[in-house]
Amino acid sequence: LAVPPHGCWSTTVEVLPSTDGIEVASSFPLDRPVEATAPAGRMREWQRSTPDVHCDDPVLQSALKRSVLDLGALRISDPDFPDTDVIAAGAPWFMALFGRDSLLTSWLMLPWDLELARGTLHTLARLQGREVDPLSEEEPGRILHEVRLGIDESRALGGSRLYFGTVDATPLFVMLLGRAVRWGLPAADIASLLPAADRALEWIAKYGDSDGDGFVEYQRKTDRGLLNQGWKDSQDSIVFRDGKLARGPIALAEVQGYVYAAYCARADLADASGDPVAAREWRERAAELKRRFNEAFWLPDEGYFALALDGDKRSVDALASNQGHCLWTGIVDESKAPSVAAALMSDRMFSGWGVRTLATDMAAFNPVSYHNGSVWPHDNALIVQGLCRYGFVAQAAELARGLVEASAHFGGRLPELFCGFSREDVPIPVGYPTSCSPQAWAAAAPLGVVSALLGLQADATGAEPVLRVTCNVPPEWGRVGIERLALGDRYLSVDSATLPHGRTVELVPALG
């Protein structure tokens, strides 16, 4: 091939795999423009179905637009159930269904899209544990950790395409169902999913609390599974203040919060179905767990919650971001919340771009580690929601601004994580070398912080659906407006410019 000076030449090479001699159809056939292909049409339909967001702040606008595009691109479906979407955890390493990731992404997306939560719940219920298998860590009622299919099956843990070694996906499943009902999940879906939620709660009682102390713990069943089975699942992530690794069984602080919120969600579901006796029992169970958690995990000399309890019931005394999830779920006593918020937003935790996974004065701190000092956007989005829940709106706004400003240095796309260097020392956020980008729950983080600072709380369980809004959008963002926000089969628009700041108002969406 000879290309003359200043000339150009191009070609397209198409590679199609085949199975047993049968070629897979091309997603992007060469005989038609890209915009005419099925994936492009699917993306257009996704964009049409999500609410329109308009922001005065161009950095926030760019982050939200990028989030919607990335989440649309990460959707996958089972060929046997092509009309049910779930979300892949992230590219390039985790293009598969992960229980925890899909549940948290769906939670952060719920004000914007109910169908993703619906598809996630039905898919995970269909794959819910049915028997005891130590190798895959499957147990009746347990929600899976990950699915590996096809050529990716060689990466599966436990020798099975389904691996169940996660301690938190099961309570998160019940939490998400409770919230999806509030956003208008149809009655037929509720009826089919409620048995799966009850099986999940049975797993919590029978298998999750293995020693009967009232807290949910984990310990892998074989040497092939994950050593740590919370969201910080690297081998060195659960450490004491002095850097010593915790030994199992391990009860994570945030997991107790998830279980508490699952009990509260089940109580709400009982109320919605007209069963006040069951509702009262679930709330009593939640209240008892909250009481015991605040006694067992609190470190009064430090003013924060332990990261975990180890196998000897000792407090794993590292200051970590996990307790921000405890604010999010509501398990923290009101009297302790100010101290927790202060710890999270202290210089040793808040880098200026986001809250680090581990405080700078802990022995294991490393700003370039995966879980011991880095900043994870989804972690911070949940902390923002937790701070707002307890009324720390100024701190939530400061954290949200830092996170959104960080996105501008990554082309508007928040990666899975970035390094935990101080903003004062390094004026730009430093990318983590092998971070997924795009990654599902990171992509959902900007949507999660906006819905938190708008204070969007839906209740579609009554005769008339209601959206409660408590607007605490920071002045630096200017006007934030959402059009075509769906609540069940109704729609409404929310505009921060027309809402009183810091005061809750109730909006009733219109039909059609």
Side-chain angles (χ1 to χ4, degrees), residues 74 145 199 482:
L74 286 170
H145 174 261
R199 288 194 295 270
I482 308 173

Side-chain angles (χ1 to χ4, degrees), residues 126-438:
R126 191 170 67 249
L127 300 173
Q128 192 173 21
R130 294 290 189 271
E131 60 187 26
V132 175
D133 180 358
L135 201 59
S136 68
E137 304 205 40
E138 179 181 359
E139 291 163 341
R142 195 174 198 179
I143 299 298
L144 61 82
H145 174 261
E146 64 180 90
V147 180
R148 296 289 188 174
L149 300 173
I151 60 172
D152 205 30
E153 197 164 331
S154 62
R155 297 176 59 90
L157 296 164
S160 169
R161 69 184 187 92
L162 302 182
Y163 174 65
F164 288 82
T166 172
V167 72
D168 47 16
T170 307
L172 286 169
F173 178 91
V174 184
M175 283 179 63
L176 180 62
L177 176 59
R179 193 171 195 232
V181 169
R182 288 189 166 273
W183 279 94
L185 189 70
D189 293 299
I190 300 170
S192 64
L193 289 167
L194 199 53
D198 286 337
R199 288 194 295 270
L201 291 164
E202 289 170 8
W203 177 87
I204 289 171
K206 184 174 181 180
Y207 297 97
D209 182 11
S210 57
D211 60 6
D213 69 342
F215 297 127
V216 171
E217 305 94 0
Y218 66 84
Q219 186 164 33
R220 65 178 178 180
K221 305 297 188 295
T222 73
D223 60 1
R224 297 182 61 175
L226 289 170
L227 179 65
N228 287 313
Q229 299 188 352
W231 84 262
K232 294 178 180 176
D233 55 8
S234 51
Q235 293 196 7
D236 63 348
S237 61
I238 310 303
V239 294
F240 288 83
R241 186 185 188 95
D242 62 6
K244 182 182 178 182
L245 294 176
R247 303 297 178 188
I250 292 172
L252 293 169
E254 76 273 17
V255 171
Q256 316 318 312
Y258 302 161
V259 174
Y260 167 81
Y263 291 166
C264 293
R266 187 61 183 88
D268 289 343
L269 291 167
D271 275 335
S273 64
D275 189 351
V277 174
R280 183 175 64 254
E281 290 174 352
W282 285 111
R283 289 197 175 93
E284 289 173 353
R285 196 176 302 191
E288 176 61 14
L289 175 58
K290 182 173 183 175
R291 182 191 66 78
R292 296 189 67 254
F293 170 81
N294 280 272
E295 290 178 356
F297 281 77
W298 184 245
L299 302 174
D301 293 338
E302 304 292 346
Y304 58 78
F305 287 98
L307 169 58
L309 301 181
D310 72 359
D312 297 319
K313 305 304 175 186
R314 294 178 301 170
S315 298
V316 181
D317 57 354
L319 173 55
S321 63
N322 304 55
Q323 63 191 302
H325 296 219
C326 297
L327 291 177
W328 168 54
T329 58
I331 198 173
V332 176
D333 281 344
E334 291 284 346
S335 61
K336 296 180 175 67
S339 183
V340 172
L344 289 169
M345 295 303 293
S346 65
D347 290 342
R348 53 185 178 157
M349 286 294 287
F350 181 52
S351 72
W353 303 110
V355 171
R356 302 177 177 95
T357 45
L358 190 69
T360 56
D361 56 346
M362 302 294 109
F365 171 76
N366 178 357
V368 194
S369 74
Y370 197 55
H371 287 131
N372 286 331
S374 54
V375 175
W376 287 65
H378 90 279
D379 189 27
N380 279 262
L382 297 179
I383 293 171
V384 168
Q385 294 201 356
L387 291 169
C388 287
R389 177 173 189 150
Y390 282 83
F392 302 108
V393 293
Q395 295 90 329
E398 181 183 6
L399 179 52
R401 288 198 308 271
L403 199 62
V404 169
E405 288 165 5
S407 72
H409 297 274
F410 298 104
R413 171 189 286 158
L414 284 168
E416 176 187 12
L417 71 155
F418 52 90
C419 298
F421 295 108
S422 170
R423 190 169 181 170
E424 293 183 358
D425 298 332
V426 184
I428 61 171
V430 177
Y432 186 81
T434 56
S435 174
C436 281
S437 186

Side-chain angles (χ1 to χ4, degrees), residues 182-184 456-469 487-488 490 492 504-509:
R182 288 189 166 273
W183 279 94
L456 304 179
Q457 296 292 330
D459 187 359
T461 60
E464 192 80 68
V466 172
L467 182 71
R468 295 179 180 87
V469 183
L487 182 50
R490 303 189 184 199
L492 72 164
T504 301
V505 296
E506 291 190 352
L507 307 175
V508 178

Side-chain angles (χ1 to χ4, degrees), residues 72-86:
L74 286 170
R75 288 173 304 148
I76 56 177
S77 61
D78 186 329
D80 293 333
F81 299 89
D83 296 328
T84 303
D85 283 339
V86 294

Side-chain angles (χ1 to χ4, degrees), residues 87-104:
I87 200 93
W93 314 116
F94 304 117
M95 286 303 297
L97 172 64
F98 281 66
R100 176 196 310 118
D101 298 56
S102 62
L103 290 162
L104 287 175

